[in-house]
Structures are given as structure tokens and as C-alpha cells.
Amino acid sequence: MENIEDDVEGFQQKKHSIADSKLSEVETLQLIHELEVHQIELELQKEELILAKEEAEMATQKYTELYDFAPSGYFTLTNSGKITQLNLTGSQLLQKDRSKLINSQFGFFISDDTKPIFHEFLSNVFHTNRKECCEVKLFLENNFTINVYLTAVLSENRDEALITAVDITQLKLTECALRESEKRYRELLNNLDVGIILHDKDTSIIFSNPKASQLIGLDKNQMNEKQIFNPEWEFIKEDNKPLAQENYPVNEILNTKKPVKNFIIGIKKSENDSIKWLLINGFPVFNNSGEIAEIVISFIEITVLKKLEIELIKSKDQAEAANRAKSSFLTNMSHEIRTPLNGIIGFTDLLMKTNLDKNQTEYMNTVHESATILIEIINNILDFSKIESGKLELNIEEVNIFELIHHVIDIFKYHADLNNIDLIVNIDKKVPNYVLTDSIRLKQILVNLIGNALKFTKDGYVKLNISNTVNPENENQCHLNFSVKDTGIGIKDENQEKIFQSFIQEDSSITRKFGGTGLGLAITNQLLALMNSELELNSHYGEGSEFFFTVELEKSNHEYDSKDLDDNVEVVEGIPFDKNLLNKKILVVEDNKINMLLVKTLLKSILPGSTVLEASDGKKAIKLYKKEKLDLILMDIQMPHKNGYETTAEIKQLKQYNNIPIIALTAGIMLGEKEKCLESGMDDYVSKPIIRSNLEKVLFKWLKK
């Protein structure tokens, strides 16, 4: 531009010089005319240059605007990751001013778990000639994280790289971008580690990315225009049966016009080829008329996962078979052990209530206590098995809390007196009389805690405290606080967590000195977990221990109304007793002679004047049923010739069946035993060893109906 202006000024000077020269007038005018034409041309060039400069400035401004307001973030990075230049979108992506980002490290914004990916990506950009890409997470202010897809190209001098960052946090934005820009769509798909196939509406393939070719085993040229039901490959279902063509994912989408999600198929090219398993997703692309224009299918290989799934299924089947074998073993062992123990405990209990001398009483107490401990061990192992399988459920019913505590204390009263240990019970006046809970499990928890306390206490006391924290928000609820405190040996600080673990006790010497399985506290804590509670401990070694817990229970406004009791019912210690429970005829079906004698003895004690008939197997029981008019049947389960289930079913099919109650009497207490008895047609269930109170409760329940 300056040169043109100099030329114009020079022509002006020459014009004046020519006017002063000695040329002829014609020559002078001609020369001046040429100079003026040349001057006009120079003026026009000057105007064109000015216009070109303005256009260049406008283009630069437009480029800057396009650069700044591009939908993607652009970053110029050195090989160390330092930002030397970025656009406005890039600064908005990082939520920082552009001035603060210049000369800062881009890696500062990369999350720790994806930094290795970014470093490898940046290294590859500067050390290879190929275009690089990766997916990383950006950790922004206020703990805000986004996923971005990075691509990079090197500058001509190879000292800087232009990084394009696309926010892919919202997949729908990515899908929109893919549909709006076929070029970007194809570039992205070609770098995905997912097989992508684009089908025409006639199912022919119009596009496939390299990963799709790799997974299916055909190159790009072989894939193009191929029909989905081409005979070169076969699709199979998860059960290894051929997949019908109408059920192919593409055909499913064509028929339903809806996406398919997580569709699993196997693919093989010939009978000898191994199966390659694919997880398929797909969706239709509609044109402006609402018709399917294209179908997009994406898939990944899950062959390894499928093989692992097959192995897991095999392992699961083996584990279930082993578990069934374990359950069967425990059931059989329980029956075999509990059957003789039923006689030992029952008869020692009866014998201890007779007139014995001091030595005999001591010996019988030892036998009775040993049998009780053995039963406790069996119960703990069976309970642990049920809890471990996650199938133990609570049986919520109305419970007289005072009666329950009375029964628990009765269990240990003799043992405490024998060892000169004070067994103390404090029940707060705010504790309700009746609550809704699982009486058996609550009793089991208290028995475990008091039994442990007595076991480890040589002298002093064991104290059970029960209090109630009133729930102001719900008057029908109560928070019962149970505490068992002793003056025993206490527990070392380092062992106070260990004792709650299964099969572990505080010290290995404890097992030899005090006995036990190490399951009591573990089971207690797991039972409390079913009640949304937990066992807590406060102990000092050598000074005793306190175990305590709180359970939230519903109150039961239970009251016996005299209007509900007829003339034949009287209340004894708060419990109704029917005078008409006399002169009943009861059939006991039991193959074990000792157990038969025990049941007969208990029945005579509970129901004086009743008639007890005996049957040693199911066949004899059916004959007696046909012959006698019975009021109730106590039915053993495991018997020769015909078991209790079969006998019950056959009795209920007889024409003369008169709906008398049939009560299961069995040593099996595994999970599902009670349900199995009830499903076979029995009306109730009593487990062995038979506890007098349990038998009494069942008899009164069914004979009063």
C-alpha cells in the first residue's frame, strides 16, 4: 500500500517535470495523458488493496468468532501438556477464565483415575503420526465431573498439538451430533471399541466400522451391502438353538419400530467354528415422514463373560447340590442325635422331679445339663446354617414378655443356685405386658447371653435389666432395652470384636475350659440384625461384662375378657385353662420305644384321664384310626414301612376322616421342615426334644377347638 502511494506521488512530480521540459506540446500532452492513466490505475489498485484489507480483517474476525464459539473446546498443548492457546468454548468447558488457563497444565483438570489414559494419549500424539483419541474425566470446581472425548493432531512444526475436546456426558447430545454430522459420526465410530453397523431399511449393510468387521470376521468390503440373513453366518440363541430370522435384532426393530436393548446372540460362520457371543443394542432412525430410514446396531463381544457365566452356573449348581447335601446331612444327623436326646432330656427331667438323694440329684443334673448343652450345640449349628443361607425369618406373634422372662430365668435358676451365683431380674414398670415379636428368637437371644454370663462367672451375680424408652411419635411402639451384666472374668479389649465372629472365642483356652462352639454371640447378633438391632458390649478384663441391645416392638393391648370365657374356663395365673380337656383319646405314632414312653408320660401328666393309643408305624396308625374314634394324632415323621407324610395323606383321603388334628412330632428342625409338614396336611408341628410347655401349648390349642 505504501509503495502505491509513493508511485502516485512520483507520477505527480514527473508530470510537473514534463511540463517544464522542452518536448513538443503534442509529445508533452501525450506523455502527460499516459501518466494520468497510469495514475488512475494506481488509484484503483490502492482502492482494491484497501477493500482487500477490510475483507481480510472481516475474515479474521469471523475466524476468531468461529474459533471462539465453536461447539467443541479447542486447546493448543505442548508435549508437556501446557495450554498455550484455547477458544472460549474450551474455557467454558473448564469453567475458568481464558487468561487463567494460558500456560496452565491441562492434566490438572484430568481425574486421577483417567490421568494414565491422558498421559499415554498425549505421548502418542507427539511420537506417532496417527490421529489419537481418548475418553477421560474432567474434575472441575465444586466436585463436578464430566466425561470428554479428546482427539488430537500435530502442528506442522510438530512442537504443539491441537486438541479437540467434546463433552460426551450426555449421550443424547452425542447421538444428535452423530446424526447432524455424518463426517463426525463416521470418525467417532471408526475409533470406538464397539462394533457399529448401519442397515438400510431392506436390512442391507450400508456402513460398518472396523470393530464390527473384527467381531464378525469379515472385512469392510465383504460387509458392505450384505444382507443380515446371509447364509455365510448363523445366529443362535442362548440355548444354542438357531435364532429365527424374524427375531433377528434388525428385523425386530423393523417390525416393532422400537429399539432393542441388551439382546444376546451367538454367531458362528460354520459348524466347526466356535461360537462368538455378542451383546446387541439397536435403534431405528426415522425420516421426516415417520418411516424407518436406517437402523443402527451396536454390539460388543461377551464371549469371555458368557463362558464365565457358564462356569458360574456350573459352580452354582455344584454349590446348590453341595448345600442340599449339607442340608440333608444336617437334617439326618439332627434326627439321629435328637431322637435319643429326646428320651434322655425328657426322662431325666421327669426323674429329677421324683424323690432322689443328694448324689442321685447331682448325677441326674449332670446328665440333664450335658444333654441340654449337646442340644444347644446342635441348634446353634442348624441356626447358623439357616442364617448363613439368608432364609431365616422371624415369626411375629403376641408375646407375654413377663412370662417369657420367667421361663428364661427358670432355665438357669437351678444352675445359678448350685454355683452360689445371684440371678437377678429387674423389669421396669414402663415395660408393657404384651408385645408383638418372635418369642422363640427373643428367648434364644436371652438364653445365649445369660448362659454365657453364668458360664464365665465364678461368683457374684448375673443381672438381667429390662427397661422401656417410650416413643413419643407412636404410642403403640416401645423401645425395650435389654441388658445382661455379670461379675465374671471380663473380656480383653483386643478380643472384644473377635468374639462376635463365627466359630471364634476370646481365647483358645476358653474352648477347653468352658466348652462351646463359638457360635452363640455370632448367632445372637445375626438374630438381632433381623430385628433391626445389634448387640453391644461394655467390658473390663477381670471386672465383668455387660451385653446390651435395644429392639423396637409394637405393643399389644391384650386383656382377657371374662365375657369371652364360658363356664368351663377358669383363669390360672393369667392363663385360661379348659376343664373339658379331659378324657381325650390320643394316638401316638412313634417307632422309637423310648420316645413313645416319654410322650405317653407327658400326655398323662398334661391331660390326666386321657387315653393314649400306640402305633409303631404308619400302617398300624391307619388301622387304629379306622377302628377308634380319636381326638388328636401325634405323628412322627421318619418311620419304617410308611413315613409320617404318607400316613397323614392317606388318613385324610379316607371316607371316615373327621378333620381331627394331626400334629407332626419330629426331630428334624431344618429350614422348611415345618412348611413341609403343613403342606403334607398336618395341622401343627412339635420338635424334639419335646419341651413340656411346647407340647402343652399345642395340645390346648387343638383340643379346645
Side-chain angles (χ1 to χ4, degrees):
M1 179 71 94
E2 293 179 355
N3 292 334
I4 294 175
E5 291 177 349
D6 290 341
D7 289 343
V8 172
E9 185 178 349
F11 281 126
Q12 291 288 350
Q13 293 175 355
K14 287 181 180 180
K15 185 177 179 182
H16 293 299
S17 298
I18 292 171
D20 296 335
S21 67
K22 296 180 179 181
L23 295 174
S24 65
E25 183 177 353
V26 175
E27 291 175 340
T28 300
L29 291 173
Q30 184 178 359
L31 185 57
I32 290 173
H33 175 73
E34 291 176 355
L35 289 172
E36 286 177 347
V37 171
H38 196 184
Q39 181 180 358
I40 292 171
E41 291 176 350
L42 290 174
E43 290 288 348
L44 290 174
Q45 290 180 10
K46 179 179 178 181
E47 290 179 0
E48 290 176 355
L49 287 173
I50 292 172
L51 183 60
K53 180 179 179 182
E54 291 176 351
E55 290 177 350
E57 290 175 350
M58 290 176 63
T60 301
Q61 183 178 358
K62 288 181 180 179
Y63 169 78
T64 303
E65 290 178 355
L66 289 172
Y67 176 74
D68 272 343
F69 296 102
S72 303
Y74 293 131
F75 300 86
T76 302
L77 303 183
T78 65
N79 58 2
S80 65
K82 184 174 69 174
I83 301 172
T84 60
Q85 189 177 354
L86 74 159
N87 67 346
L88 181 60
T89 304
S91 66
Q92 292 174 344
L93 188 68
L94 299 181
Q95 299 180 3
K96 292 281 188 180
D97 292 339
R98 186 162 19 185
S99 59
K100 294 181 179 179
L101 291 170
I102 298 297
N103 294 326
S104 66
Q105 286 291 326
F106 188 82
F108 172 79
F109 297 93
I110 306 294
S111 65
D112 291 340
D113 57 331
T114 58
K115 275 186 179 179
I117 298 174
F118 173 72
H119 291 323
E120 182 181 359
F121 160 77
L122 197 61
S123 175
N124 289 339
V125 170
F126 283 94
H127 294 90
T128 63
N129 292 324
R130 66 177 182 269
K131 185 176 181 179
E132 293 294 326
C133 63
C134 70
E135 183 179 331
V136 297
K137 293 180 182 178
L138 296 184
F139 193 74
L140 308 178
E141 293 182 351
N142 300 322
N143 294 327
F144 186 67
T145 303
I146 63 172
N147 294 322
V148 294
Y149 185 78
L150 302 180
T151 57
V153 292
L154 277 178
S155 62
E156 292 184 0
N157 54 13
R158 302 181 64 83
D159 61 347
E160 289 183 331
L162 176 62
I163 307 295
T164 303
V166 180
D167 185 354
I168 59 170
T169 305
Q170 300 181 12
L171 294 178
K172 288 187 177 180
L173 293 179
T174 304
E175 293 175 359
C176 291
L178 290 174
R179 294 190 185 100
E180 293 170 359
S181 173
E182 182 180 357
K183 180 180 179 181
R184 186 185 304 172
Y185 168 75
R186 291 177 182 271
E187 288 180 355
L188 176 62
L189 295 183
N190 285 334
N191 288 281
L192 283 177
D193 195 30
V194 176
I196 302 292
I197 295 179
L198 185 63
H199 292 272
D200 202 349
K201 57 186 177 182
D202 64 353
T203 77
S204 62
I205 298 174
I206 56 179
F207 169 79
S208 63
N209 69 345
K211 189 65 179 180
S213 298
Q214 176 187 341
L215 291 176
I216 293 181
L218 299 174
D219 60 34
K220 185 177 181 180
N221 293 330
Q222 291 175 314
M223 294 277 287
N224 287 345
E225 298 183 0
K226 188 176 291 296
Q227 297 287 331
I228 190 62
F229 37 84
N230 193 283
E232 289 191 30
W233 62 61
E234 178 187 1
F235 288 144
I236 60 174
K237 298 183 291 186
E238 290 189 81
D239 58 2
N240 290 324
K241 294 181 180 179
L243 182 67
Q245 289 186 7
E246 61 268 21
N247 294 327
Y248 285 7
V250 172
N251 292 331
E252 284 275 356
I253 295 173
L254 281 172
N255 294 332
T256 64
K257 296 186 177 182
K258 295 180 179 179
V260 295
K261 294 182 179 180
N262 300 329
F263 193 100
I264 298 177
I265 63 171
I267 182 172
K268 59 180 181 178
K269 295 181 65 176
S270 66
E271 290 294 331
N272 297 326
D273 286 346
S274 59
I275 299 173
K276 185 177 290 186
W277 292 97
L278 305 176
L279 178 66
I280 296 179
N281 288 275
F283 61 89
V285 179
F286 297 95
N287 56 24
N288 294 332
S289 302
E291 298 176 347
I292 294 179
E294 296 173 341
I295 301 166
V296 180
I297 297 292
S298 65
F299 52 94
I300 59 174
E301 183 178 1
I302 57 169
T303 304
V304 175
L305 293 177
K306 194 65 180 175
K307 290 180 179 178
L308 180 60
E309 178 186 346
I310 294 172
E311 293 299 321
L312 287 175
I313 292 173
K314 289 182 181 178
S315 300
K316 176 177 174 291
D317 292 340
Q318 292 173 354
E320 288 177 348
N323 192 52
R324 286 192 297 270
K326 181 187 76 171
S327 298
S328 176
F329 171 77
L330 289 175
T331 301
N332 292 332
M333 289 303 297
S334 167
H335 181 272
E336 295 301 324
I337 296 174
R338 292 170 70 90
T339 297
L341 281 177
N342 180 47
I344 295 172
I345 293 175
F347 280 110
T348 53
D349 182 62
L350 292 174
L351 191 57
M352 287 168 64
K353 294 176 181 177
T354 63
N355 294 325
L356 302 175
D357 61 32
K358 184 178 180 181
N359 287 338
Q360 290 172 334
T361 301
E362 183 180 349
Y363 297 157
M364 290 310 303
N365 178 67
T366 301
V367 173
H368 188 273
E369 186 175 342
S370 298
T372 302
I373 291 173
L374 185 54
I375 282 292
E376 181 184 345
I377 292 172
I378 295 171
N379 289 344
N380 281 344
I381 292 173
L382 294 175
D383 280 344
F384 181 77
S385 176
K386 286 185 278 186
I387 294 172
E388 189 181 44
S389 65
K391 296 181 179 179
L392 182 65
E393 296 180 355
L394 298 178
N395 179 30
I396 304 301
E397 59 185 355
E398 184 183 73
V399 176
N400 185 330
I401 199 73
F402 292 90
E403 184 179 310
L404 184 145
I405 299 301
H406 177 71
H407 288 165
V408 171
I409 296 303
D410 280 349
I411 294 173
F412 299 104
K413 188 175 181 180
Y414 178 80
H415 177 83
D417 292 342
L418 191 65
N419 292 278
N420 295 320
I421 297 172
D422 294 330
L423 188 56
I424 305 168
V425 179
N426 289 327
I427 303 179
D428 188 77
K429 294 181 179 179
K430 296 180 181 180
V431 174
N433 196 358
Y434 289 90
V435 295
L436 299 177
T437 186
D438 187 323
S439 61
I440 294 176
R441 297 308 174 186
L442 181 58
K443 185 176 180 180
Q444 182 179 358
I445 291 168
L446 294 175
V447 167
N448 276 342
L449 295 180
I450 295 175
N452 268 357
L454 287 171
K455 184 188 296 185
F456 300 112
T457 302
K458 294 182 179 179
D459 51 46
Y461 65 83
V462 171
K463 184 186 295 184
L464 171 62
N465 289 316
I466 307 171
S467 61
N468 177 28
T469 303
V470 179
N471 186 354
E473 298 180 358
N474 190 343
E475 295 181 355
N476 292 325
Q477 283 187 340
C478 61
H479 293 79
L480 293 188
N481 308 303
F482 293 84
S483 166
V484 176
K485 190 173 183 179
D486 64 65
T487 56
I489 61 176
I491 302 169
K492 297 177 182 179
D493 292 343
E494 61 270 22
N495 293 329
Q496 290 188 12
E497 291 186 7
K498 186 169 67 175
I499 60 171
F500 292 102
Q501 300 176 23
S502 305
F503 299 102
I504 294 179
Q505 294 183 327
E506 183 193 2
D507 194 295
S508 58
S509 62
I510 297 295
T511 305
R512 295 190 297 271
K513 187 174 182 180
F514 296 99
T517 61
L519 283 173
L521 290 177
I523 292 174
T524 297
N525 219 7
Q526 289 170 321
L527 289 175
L528 285 172
L530 293 176
M531 301 178 181
N532 297 317
S533 181
E534 65 176 339
L535 189 61
E536 298 183 70
L537 169 64
N538 183 13
S539 179
H540 298 284
Y541 187 63
E543 299 180 10
S545 304
E546 180 184 13
F547 289 88
F548 55 96
F549 62 91
T550 300
V551 288
E552 182 179 319
L553 304 175
E554 292 284 339
K555 294 180 183 178
S556 175
N557 298 322
H558 176 92
E559 292 182 2
Y560 287 114
D561 191 342
S562 59
K563 296 179 181 179
D564 297 331
L565 306 176
D566 56 35
D567 296 336
N568 295 317
V569 177
E570 61 182 11
V571 176
V572 181
E573 296 182 356
I575 302 175
F577 179 78
D578 197 331
K579 297 177 182 178
N580 289 331
L581 295 179
L582 300 173
N583 303 317
K584 298 294 183 180
K585 187 175 287 188
I586 300 174
L587 171 62
V588 180
V589 188
E590 171 65 67
D591 64 319
N592 186 282
K593 293 182 179 180
I594 296 176
N595 287 338
M596 174 67 79
L597 178 59
L598 175 61
V599 174
K600 287 175 60 179
T601 305
L602 290 172
L603 287 173
K604 289 292 184 180
S605 174
I606 297 170
L607 300 172
S610 61
T611 302
V612 179
L613 302 176
E614 302 179 27
S616 58
D617 58 47
K619 291 182 178 179
K620 294 178 181 178
I622 294 171
K623 289 181 180 179
L624 280 172
Y625 180 84
K626 293 178 179 178
K627 181 179 179 181
E628 302 286 345
K629 185 177 180 181
L630 304 173
D631 295 296
L632 183 140
I633 299 176
L634 292 174
M635 181 76 69
D636 188 27
I637 298 300
Q638 295 190 15
M639 297 182 296
H641 307 306
K642 195 182 293 289
N643 63 37
Y645 302 128
E646 297 169 339
T647 305
T648 299
E650 192 167 331
I651 288 175
K652 293 209 168 187
Q653 290 175 358
L654 296 174
K655 292 182 179 179
Q656 61 266 48
Y657 174 62
N658 58 354
N659 292 319
I660 69 167
I662 302 177
I663 312 301
L665 196 65
T666 177
I669 61 169
M670 284 298 292
L671 182 67
E673 187 79 22
K674 180 176 181 179
E675 291 75 9
K676 189 175 180 181
C677 291
L678 297 178
E679 288 173 1
S680 70
M682 298 182 186
D683 299 286
D684 214 329
Y685 175 97
V686 176
S687 64
K688 301 176 184 177
I690 300 172
I691 307 299
R692 177 190 169 99
S693 60
N694 292 342
L695 180 60
E696 191 175 83
K697 181 180 178 181
V698 171
L699 290 173
F700 289 169
K701 173 183 176 182
W702 291 100
L703 288 176
K704 286 170 61 178
K705 291 189 175 183

